[in-house]
Amino acid sequence: MSELTRRRWLGAAGWAAALAAGGTQLHGPAVANAQGGSAESLLGALKSARVFDLSFTWSDQSPVLSLNPPYSFALNRTHKMTHEIFGQAPGSRVSWASEIMFFSGQHGAPTIDAIGHIGRDLKLHGGVDAVAATSTPGGIGANLGIDSFPVDLMINRAVLLDVARQVANGAADPLPPSFEITAKHLDDTAKAQSVDVRKGDSVMIRTGWGQYFGKDNAKYLGEQSPGPGQDAAKWIIARGVRLAGDDTATFEKRPAAYGKELFSVHMMLLTDSGIYIVENMNLEPLSAAKAYTVALVITPLKIQGGTGSPLRALALAP
């Protein structure tokens, strides 16, 4: 596909995002052309895209960090039960099932952290008092819960930086345990892929450890997983990225310690910079397709005061 066609397609995706946000600030030639078109032409552009499912199947076999509540699922009503109650009344034939779901707090496959999920010295993003903001059973206040996730980020330009393939000279091999991704790794990968990360983008970083999800949970959840360190976090922040994700359980390199400081990358992104973090992404399909610039679709559940949300994440590419 030509670069011109790619830009037009991404412009259509951007128009969809702008419409979702209310459509009050639409600018640029691609948007102008889209505005002059129809819903059918927009749908046609989107339907022509390749769609990549970035979600793993979530079940009681999925890896969950011990810090979080366990996953649980049960049918509280089966078709047999409801048919015996409602389906045998004169003239009635109906039955249904319903379930009880508990997604281990916000942690699904993938999961997104709300800005207020992490604090530094009991301060949240913007200097908000963490104790006061979480003092009621209603969850995180001060517009830092997942219910305040920006609508315009639900469909956004995203860049996949396949660091694992870059380090492995093109092979699909995962990064070694405890491998720290640095700014140089991100720069080198972007250059090798001929992509640029722009202000406002979402960025996905492939470590290759998604291959272990549900297959080697002990390794996936262990204290030796790869990921961005402080140097890479500074790179992400400097480029004005609004959302960053990868294919590990905690996004940042583990052990997640710099001296005595724990989870500093989370604090740098969420607390200091207001950058959302997505974990447990399935980036293998994008890597195999070498789809490096995509429209990323992220739609968290609108949970009042939630510390995050499980996702059904999608990527659309020309």
Side-chain angles (χ1 to χ4, degrees):
M1 177 174 286
S2 70
E3 185 58 31
L4 178 60
T5 305
R6 183 183 298 273
R7 285 199 301 268
R8 284 177 176 169
W9 184 89
L10 287 171
W15 182 53
L19 287 178
T24 57
Q25 295 184 8
L26 305 176
H27 303 286
V31 173
N33 290 338
Q35 281 183 290
S38 62
E40 286 74 16
S41 63
L42 172 62
L43 287 169
L46 296 176
K47 287 286 189 180
S48 69
R50 292 176 292 163
V51 180
F52 298 88
D53 188 351
L54 308 185
S55 304
F56 293 103
T57 299
W58 193 237
S59 73
D60 58 3
Q61 300 303 307
S62 299
V64 180
L65 288 168
S66 59
L67 294 172
N68 300 309
Y71 168 86
S72 65
F73 175 97
L75 288 175
N76 74 316
R77 292 288 186 273
T78 67
H79 280 277
K80 182 177 185 297
M81 293 166 63
T82 56
H83 187 263
E84 288 175 351
I85 298 172
F86 299 99
Q88 296 184 29
S92 178
R93 302 162 67 182
V94 71
S95 69
W96 70 82
S98 60
E99 67 269 14
I100 299 171
M101 294 184 293
F102 184 50
F103 282 92
S104 178
Q106 85 274 23
H107 291 280
T111 178
I112 185 168
D113 289 342
I115 297 300
H117 176 51
I118 295 287
R120 183 194 292 277
D121 297 323
L122 289 180
K123 295 293 183 183
L124 303 182
H125 180 61
V128 172
D129 185 291
V131 175
T134 55
S135 60
T136 73
I140 302 171
N143 295 318
L144 297 176
I146 200 60
D147 49 324
S148 295
F149 184 75
V151 174
D152 68 319
L153 257 183
M154 291 183 179
I155 306 175
N156 197 40
R157 182 182 188 271
V159 174
L160 169 69
L161 295 177
D162 198 340
V163 174
R165 282 192 186 270
Q166 174 66 16
V167 171
N169 296 315
D173 301 346
L175 292 174
S178 294
F179 185 95
E180 180 172 340
I181 295 172
T182 66
K184 187 176 188 306
H185 291 122
L186 300 180
D187 268 330
D188 289 348
T189 302
K191 182 178 179 180
Q193 295 176 183
S194 298
V195 297
D196 62 323
V197 175
R198 305 171 186 170
K199 183 177 180 180
D201 278 355
S202 299
V203 169
M204 299 173 286
I205 301 170
R206 178 178 173 269
T207 71
W209 276 51
Q211 298 173 50
Y212 301 131
F213 188 100
K215 298 174 183 177
D216 189 344
N217 287 350
K219 186 167 188 174
Y220 187 81
L221 295 176
E223 287 300 316
Q224 304 294 323
S225 64
Q230 290 182 341
D231 189 48
K234 292 175 183 175
W235 187 97
I236 291 168
I237 294 166
R239 278 151 184 78
V241 169
R242 295 181 64 197
L243 179 149
D246 74 7
D247 50 0
T248 70
T250 56
F251 181 74
E252 64 185 278
K253 168 195 169 294
R254 283 184 288 157
Y258 286 82
K260 294 183 178 180
E261 184 172 271
L262 300 177
F263 289 98
S264 58
V265 171
H266 272 69
M267 289 189 290
M268 291 170 70
L269 297 187
L270 291 169
T271 313
D272 301 341
S273 308
I275 298 171
Y276 289 89
I277 294 176
V278 179
E279 298 155 336
N280 302 305
M281 302 185 87
N282 181 10
L283 299 178
E284 297 306 296
L286 285 181
S287 175
K290 297 183 178 180
Y292 299 134
T293 305
V294 301
L296 180 64
V297 182
I298 297 287
T299 55
L301 299 175
K302 199 169 186 179
I303 303 167
Q304 178 180 320
T307 64
S309 172
L311 301 171
R312 186 66 181 269
L314 302 174
L316 284 70

